[in-house]
Amino acid sequence: MEAESVEMAHDREQAYFFGVWDKRMSEFEETAEEALGKLREKHELELTTFEEQFAARESQRTPKLSRDLLNLRRIERALVKQKDYNEAMKLKHDADKVEAKELMALQAKGQETLRIKVAEIQRRQNQEYEALAKRIQRSRDEALRQRDHEYKRMLQRYNNVKISLSAHHRQEARAVIAAAEKRQAIQQAKNPLPC
């Protein structure tokens, strides 16, 4: 009977233990996912803000044109002042081509700068994300080690109770056997067997 009640108590304690730990780990996972989600949102906002600010700076920047193009524009204005409109139109057409080419080159350079800076930001953000993920994994591993340690202690207590109960039962059994043997010896002493 005692063994059954010990077994039932152990089963209840074990069910409670796993219920508590399942709840703890579920809350831990929710908190971890929330922290990772907030970091992702922060990173997305940071990247979007950077791209918007970069675009605003680029749109406000006056393009730095080459000396050759500026010379072509100066000559074009001089030809207009001299009323050589045909030559000025030809030069303007050539200058427009050079300007378009230079502006495309400046735009490509700006896009490359943006790409490089975005890649740097993303690399840093990935490092932050991985660092947080590693901290979460270390915490998860520590919680699981703690759970295992507590479970082993609970099992050890249960085994100690079973051993103690078994030893107590053996001691009681020996006492009953000794008492029975003593009664039998007394009985035999009172009633000796005829020879």
Side-chain angles (χ1 to χ4, degrees):
M1 277 312 223
E2 285 179 330
E4 287 177 18
S5 65
V6 166
E7 187 72 32
M8 287 172 49
H10 172 68
D11 290 344
R12 283 192 305 272
E13 183 181 18
Q14 192 168 341
Y16 176 76
F17 174 85
F18 285 119
V20 167
W21 270 100
D22 288 347
K23 184 178 177 193
R24 272 189 206 171
M25 293 309 292
S26 176
E27 290 170 357
F28 174 85
E29 294 301 333
E30 286 176 20
T31 303
E33 192 54 44
E34 184 179 321
L36 290 170
K38 284 181 179 178
L39 185 61
R40 278 191 296 269
E41 288 174 12
K42 176 186 167 227
H43 286 168
E44 287 171 10
L45 178 63
E46 179 184 14
L47 193 57
T48 302
T49 302
F50 171 78
E51 289 172 338
E52 289 170 357
Q53 290 173 347
F54 186 87
R57 280 194 309 268
E58 286 296 306
S59 68
Q60 293 174 356
R61 181 182 292 175
T62 306
K64 187 171 172 45
L65 302 173
S66 71
R67 192 173 286 179
D68 292 339
L69 177 59
L70 295 174
N71 281 336
L72 287 175
R73 292 294 185 196
R74 196 167 9 97
I75 294 169
E76 176 190 333
R77 284 191 302 274
L79 289 171
V80 169
K81 283 182 186 178
Q82 296 170 7
K83 298 187 182 187
D84 189 355
Y85 299 117
N86 284 336
E87 200 57 38
M89 281 301 284
K90 288 179 188 174
L91 198 57
K92 180 183 179 339
H93 183 67
D94 291 344
D96 287 346
K97 284 183 181 177
V98 170
E99 184 175 350
K101 188 175 179 181
E102 287 185 11
L103 289 176
M104 284 179 58
L106 287 173
Q107 185 179 13
K109 184 178 178 185
Q111 289 298 317
E112 180 62 16
T113 301
L114 174 64
R115 187 192 65 74
I116 289 169
K117 291 190 180 209
V118 164
E120 288 172 2
I121 290 171
Q122 288 174 330
R123 187 173 24 261
R124 179 184 48 78
Q125 289 176 342
N126 286 340
Q127 289 172 344
E128 286 177 15
Y129 189 86
E130 288 173 9
L132 178 59
K134 283 180 183 178
R135 284 194 306 272
I136 289 170
Q137 186 59 46
R138 279 195 302 271
S139 296
R140 181 182 294 117
D141 292 344
E142 179 57 35
L144 292 174
R145 277 192 296 276
Q146 182 181 354
R147 182 194 67 183
D148 291 346
H149 177 72
E150 289 179 17
Y151 183 68
K152 286 176 184 174
R153 284 181 46 208
M154 182 182 67
L155 285 179
Q156 187 60 48
R157 279 194 312 272
Y158 170 66
N159 286 331
N160 290 345
V161 167
K162 279 185 11 183
I163 289 169
S164 173
L165 189 59
S166 177
H168 179 70
H169 285 165
R170 281 195 307 273
Q171 186 178 5
E172 283 182 348
R174 279 191 220 112
V176 167
I177 291 171
E181 287 174 349
K182 188 175 182 183
R183 271 197 309 268
Q184 187 178 13
I186 292 173
Q187 196 70 352
Q188 282 180 349
K190 286 183 182 177
N191 300 325
L193 286 173
C195 297

